Amino acid sequence: MLDIAGELHQWCAEGRDFAVATVVAVRGSAPRPPGAALAVDAGGTAVGSVSGGCVEGAVYELCREALRTGEPLLERFGYSDEDAFAVGLMCGGEIDVLVTPVRRHRPVLASALATAARGEALALARVVTGPPGTPGRALLVRPDGTVEGGLGGGPALDATAAREALALLDTGRTAPVDVGADGSRCGEPVRLLVECSVPPPRMLVFGAIDFAAALVRAGKFLGYHVTVCDARPVFATAKRFPEADEVVVDWPHRYLDGVAVDARTVVCVLTHDAKFDVPLLERALRLPVAYVGAMGSRRTHEARLGRLREAGLSERELGRLRSPIGLDLGARTPEETALSIAAEIIALRRGGSGIPLAGGSVPIHHEGVVEPVGAR
């Protein structure tokens, strides 16, 4: 639901009545991960998607039904080769969809949507299956541990759910969680979906060159907060990089020393100059970031490795460096090179191999595959 928080926050502000269908579990190959949502208001307007088109019509009708009855619904969609006209996923996977009329828990959901729309971090735990009266109930958990709402099972369940939500919030993940109705790991089970909304990850692009301009556009397309940094003020200008969130004039290593990074941050070094990239990489390769890539030929890479060894980096630290940067796509233009870099970042982030899917046996989706909720 938080993936369409901007639109739904506006609906709340306008006082619209609406229902939200959320993917709460997937199994096998499915188009959208847990947390993907479709919302329908009382006037029939729809936003979002749960399947990329396969079952949108059926889910739309479930939202309309939930608006009529005021009751949550849980439905499973899969592929059946017994009936070619049945509603299902053509990719062969299976999804469980929770449909919730927002009027039942409007204050906490409205608060969660407003927080996410502002770009602030939060986790939203909702009951998928549990004791009567609990499905659809919601608990908003903020990074400082404060909460709003409740899951209907008492303080112990809320406290356990909040701990689980905070653990997922640390990594920015959305996932189902199973707990006991009394807050323990045993007893009557309660399945929750914990959705996390965090500020966009950072992409730090060092080197204000034409390849950087193309990479900025690719980074923004992928949802990154993109910063371009270069020590040369004539090149590092907002006019040259209008799509960047920030353009900084500073020595790259000095800027990196002062900026906040995390496990989702990607660092792309395009400077082509040892006096810039060696001290920068010396620091970047020792930080807990997701990706460090550096542009250059194989000869440049070998010379750079020698300088970094002289600076004291270990072989393990050097093994984190992606250089020459990007996947082998045969790229030549700045736009093609940016695509190859973006592809490598995605492959590393999602556990992809980078090899063609055609003719292979590797899974198409590498993340978000979990067991579905219990049979109804």
Side-chain angles (χ1 to χ4, degrees):
M1 180 173 76
L2 300 182
D3 67 334
I4 50 174
E7 295 93 335
L8 298 189
H9 170 56
Q10 184 63 35
W11 284 13
C12 285
E14 295 170 359
R16 296 197 205 184
D17 190 16
F18 61 95
V20 180
T22 306
V23 176
V24 294
V26 303
R27 187 171 185 174
S29 181
R32 303 293 310 279
L38 169 72
V40 180
D41 73 2
T45 301
V47 296
S49 171
V50 294
S51 71
C54 299
V55 299
E56 306 299 316
V59 174
Y60 179 91
E61 292 303 326
L62 288 175
C63 288
R64 301 278 284 177
E65 181 181 346
L67 282 170
R68 288 192 297 270
T69 66
E71 297 295 328
L73 301 165
L74 186 61
E75 189 66 43
R76 177 170 298 160
F77 295 94
Y79 177 78
S80 173
D81 55 12
E82 298 176 359
D83 183 357
F85 296 99
V87 175
L89 300 178
M90 298 307 296
C91 53
E94 202 172 58
I95 63 172
D96 292 331
V97 177
L98 176 68
V99 183
T100 306
V102 170
R103 73 176 77 113
R104 288 175 60 94
H105 313 292
R106 193 176 188 93
V108 62
L109 294 179
S111 183
L113 292 170
T115 302
R118 291 194 299 269
E120 299 173 11
L122 80 144
L124 182 67
R126 286 190 287 160
V127 178
V128 178
T129 59
T134 61
R137 293 188 67 116
L139 181 75
L140 186 162
V141 184
R142 294 190 172 85
D144 62 3
T146 58
V147 301
E148 287 184 43
L151 302 179
L157 176 59
D158 288 350
T160 298
R163 287 194 297 271
E164 297 287 345
L166 285 171
L168 287 170
L169 187 58
D170 282 342
T171 61
R173 292 179 54 226
T174 289
V177 173
D178 292 320
V179 298
D182 60 357
S184 69
R185 284 295 184 180
C186 55
E188 186 178 359
V190 173
R191 170 153 284 199
L192 311 174
L193 177 71
V194 179
E195 295 179 73
C196 292
S197 177
V198 292
R202 301 202 64 174
M203 174 181 282
L204 306 180
V205 180
F206 295 97
I209 63 176
D210 51 353
F211 288 92
L215 185 56
V216 167
R217 293 193 293 273
K220 291 300 295 179
F221 178 75
L222 293 177
Y224 284 91
H225 181 282
V226 184
T227 299
V228 176
C229 176
D230 196 300
R232 303 165 298 177
V234 67
F235 295 113
T237 66
K239 185 175 181 179
R240 293 190 70 223
F241 301 96
E243 294 174 81
D245 294 287
E246 298 173 290
V247 179
V248 177
V249 179
D250 200 350
W251 278 75
H253 71 277
R254 186 166 59 191
Y255 174 74
L256 187 62
D257 283 341
V259 71
V261 299
D262 60 25
R264 301 179 300 145
T265 302
V266 300
V267 177
C268 301
V269 181
L270 313 182
T271 46
H272 282 303
D273 190 328
K275 71 175 178 290
F276 292 128
D277 61 21
V278 171
L280 172 61
L281 290 170
E282 180 184 352
R283 289 159 171 80
L285 291 171
R286 288 170 170 159
L287 292 173
V289 296
Y291 174 91
V292 181
M295 181 174 281
S297 67
R298 298 192 188 280
R299 179 180 296 180
T300 298
H301 172 62
E302 291 302 321
R304 184 189 288 133
L305 287 180
R307 293 188 180 96
L308 290 172
R309 288 189 181 98
E310 292 174 1
L313 269 72
S314 69
E315 293 304 313
R316 182 177 181 180
E317 290 167 336
L318 292 176
R320 298 183 58 213
L321 177 59
R322 301 283 174 149
S323 178
I325 196 170
L327 296 185
D328 179 14
L329 304 183
R332 291 189 177 275
T333 68
E335 289 74 20
E336 291 172 347
T337 302
L339 180 60
S340 78
I341 296 170
E344 183 174 54
I345 291 170
I346 294 169
L348 187 64
R349 178 182 179 187
R350 300 300 189 190
S353 65
I355 65 175
L357 292 171
S361 59
V362 296
I364 296 175
H365 303 291
H366 292 260
E367 186 179 70
V369 179
V370 298
E371 289 299 314
V373 298
R376 291 166 296 284

